[in-house]
Amino acid sequence: MTSSELWSRETADRYDEEEAENSSPAALEPTLAFLAGLAGEGRALEFAIGTGRVGVPLRARGVPVAGIELSEPMAAVLRRKAGADTLPVTIGDMATTVVPGEFTLVYLVYNTISNLLTQDEQVECFRNAARHLAPGGRFVIELAVPPLRFLPPGQVAVPFDVSDRHLGFDTFDLAEQMLVSHHFTRDGDDGRYRRGSSRHRYAWPAELDLMARIASLKLERRVADWHGAPFTDDAEQHISVWRKPVT
């Protein structure tokens, strides 16, 4: 049983519309090029594939893709875009669910490893990735760097989006290494906002490297974005690539 919060049908039905900007061909091209380059001639497995925002266009690019997804409503939206014969999806959690075959690439994007709310489950996610990888295969994670530098003493909230239709901020429990992401979204023109929130366990890059070592994976590359910008002290996120040894 996973600690991840289950995405509802209502959330799944509006997900693609809310993520339209991040799903455009221009926005996705660097991501797809990065992942396709690592997959090479092999197969790719996406943990928490969701509605197929990345998996469907990656499959269209010629990479055989399979997915694991906890939310049946999210997978149902994906099914309207690609059939099971084109992009097979297994319903289950990304820490323990096993699918047939080996893969040259396992990837987990858009901060989704933070949906696993315990360190043990995050470690198991790394182990599950290693379980699916062929020797020499890679595990890729896209994850935000915890913005704790913005927290002065006594403050527990950090805004991440202030726009006409959306207000977003995170509140932090530093002792438990948890955050709650709060969203106020204006759906119509009547001035009313829809409120939503989700819990996440944040982790630093060094902690992920230790999880990878536990799973017998070795850090190969870490960059600040899908374009390959250097990862520095000021980076707001990282794309990390760990490799499974050949022998």
Side-chain angles (χ1 to χ4, degrees):
M1 195 68 173
T2 179
S3 63
S4 295
E5 296 176 346
L6 191 62
W7 289 51
S8 67
R9 183 172 301 280
E10 180 184 5
T11 302
D13 286 344
R14 63 171 180 258
Y15 182 83
D16 283 351
E17 180 181 356
E18 293 182 346
E19 294 297 330
E21 183 177 350
N22 294 321
S23 304
S24 68
L28 280 177
E29 175 55 30
T31 305
L32 300 177
F34 192 107
L35 295 175
L38 292 179
E41 300 297 319
R43 303 165 65 213
L45 174 63
E46 181 171 355
F47 283 176
I49 195 169
T51 65
R53 183 183 70 92
V54 174
V56 170
L58 186 62
R59 180 66 185 89
R61 202 182 182 98
V63 178
V65 177
I68 294 173
E69 173 54 43
L70 182 64
S71 168
E72 292 192 37
M74 293 287 278
V77 174
L78 184 154
R79 277 287 156 260
R80 299 199 287 264
K81 307 172 188 177
D85 56 337
T86 301
L87 203 166
V89 175
T90 301
I91 301 300
D93 71 88
M94 56 187 161
T96 62
T97 302
V98 178
V99 302
E102 285 189 328
F103 299 83
T104 58
L105 173 67
V106 177
Y107 65 95
L108 179 53
V109 299
Y110 219 28
N111 302 319
T112 311
I113 194 171
S114 70
N115 290 359
L116 297 171
L117 301 181
T118 69
Q119 186 183 67
D120 285 344
E121 286 182 331
Q122 291 179 353
V123 169
E124 289 306 312
C125 182
F126 272 82
R127 284 177 166 157
N128 201 29
R131 184 180 297 122
H132 286 92
L133 285 173
R138 277 101 168 180
F139 182 35
V140 175
I141 283 182
E142 175 189 24
L143 185 62
V145 176
L148 302 189
R149 296 168 67 186
F150 293 100
L151 284 176
Q155 181 174 313
V156 297
V158 174
F160 59 84
D161 185 34
V162 180
S163 60
D164 182 55
R165 305 198 71 87
H166 179 255
L167 303 174
F169 63 93
D170 292 331
T171 53
F172 291 84
D173 182 335
L174 302 183
E176 296 297 327
Q177 208 165 309
M178 298 287 293
L179 70 84
V180 178
S181 185
H182 304 266
H183 301 267
F184 292 84
T185 306
R186 192 168 69 179
D187 289 327
D189 296 323
D190 59 0
R192 295 183 179 181
Y193 284 80
R194 169 173 44 85
R195 180 178 181 177
S197 64
S198 58
R199 296 181 300 154
H200 304 268
R201 181 185 187 272
Y202 64 84
W204 298 96
E207 184 181 4
L208 297 183
D209 289 342
L210 183 56
M211 294 181 189
R213 182 180 299 181
I214 292 171
S216 298
L217 301 175
K218 184 177 181 180
L219 181 67
E220 182 177 71
R221 185 184 183 195
R222 175 168 289 131
V223 292
D225 58 33
W226 294 108
H227 294 280
F231 181 73
T232 67
D233 289 347
D234 296 322
E236 296 181 356
Q237 68 165 6
H238 62 96
I239 316 297
S240 295
V241 182
W242 297 272
R243 190 174 187 188
K244 185 172 183 176
V246 175
T247 56

